[in-house]
């Protein structure tokens, strides 16, 4: 059983041995932001240079703040994986329509 399956918009599975990688990202004002990869069917949080797996995540209602967090998490994942991150599943645990809109806009950028 796979931890998660990333699919293309038409429903076909993403090539697991393709040139890019897929990651999971959690954005939460309460617990911070984190990025994970699937290793042997289990999620593994990727720590930063300081060893911490989570980044402070204040300002999730501001597109620039969310964009900066997503870029930091992407860089962390690409460094750990030694290949580009081309797909992500983003879980947003922040209340409010503004947070949702900011995250959607940041992810599309």
């Amino acid at each position: 059983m796979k931890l998660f399956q990333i699919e293309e918009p038409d429903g076909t599975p993403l090539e697991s041995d393709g040139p890019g990688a897929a990651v999971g990202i959690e954005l939460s004002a309460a617990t911070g932001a984190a990025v994970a990869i699937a290793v042997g069917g289990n999620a593994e949080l990727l720590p930063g240079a300081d060893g911490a797996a989570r980044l402070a995540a204040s300002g999730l209602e501001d597109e620039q703040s969310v964009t900066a967090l997503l870029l930091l998490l992407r860089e962390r994942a690409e460094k750990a994986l030694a290949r580009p991150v081309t797909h992500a599943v983003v879980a947003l645990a922040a209340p409010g329509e503004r947070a949702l809109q900011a995250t959607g806009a940041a992810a599309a950028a």
Side-chain angles (χ1 to χ4, degrees):
M1 177 197 313
K2 294 183 180 181
L3 180 64
F4 60 85
Q5 173 69 45
I6 305 287
E7 295 181 349
E8 296 292 350
D10 67 0
T12 58
L14 184 67
E15 292 181 40
S16 60
D17 59 350
V23 298
I25 295 175
E26 178 191 18
L27 298 176
S28 170
T31 61
V35 61
I37 58 172
V39 177
N42 297 308
E44 180 180 306
L45 290 178
L46 298 176
D50 62 357
R54 295 192 173 271
L55 297 168
S58 59
L60 291 178
E61 295 183 3
D62 173 5
E63 182 182 337
Q64 288 180 326
S65 297
V66 176
T67 299
L69 275 173
L70 290 176
L71 287 173
L72 285 172
L73 294 170
R74 180 181 186 169
E75 289 171 6
R76 178 181 287 188
E78 288 179 341
K79 184 176 181 181
L81 295 168
R83 62 183 178 154
V85 171
T86 56
H87 293 76
V89 174
V90 179
L92 176 63
E97 183 68 23
R98 288 187 65 195
L100 181 60
Q101 290 173 349
T103 303

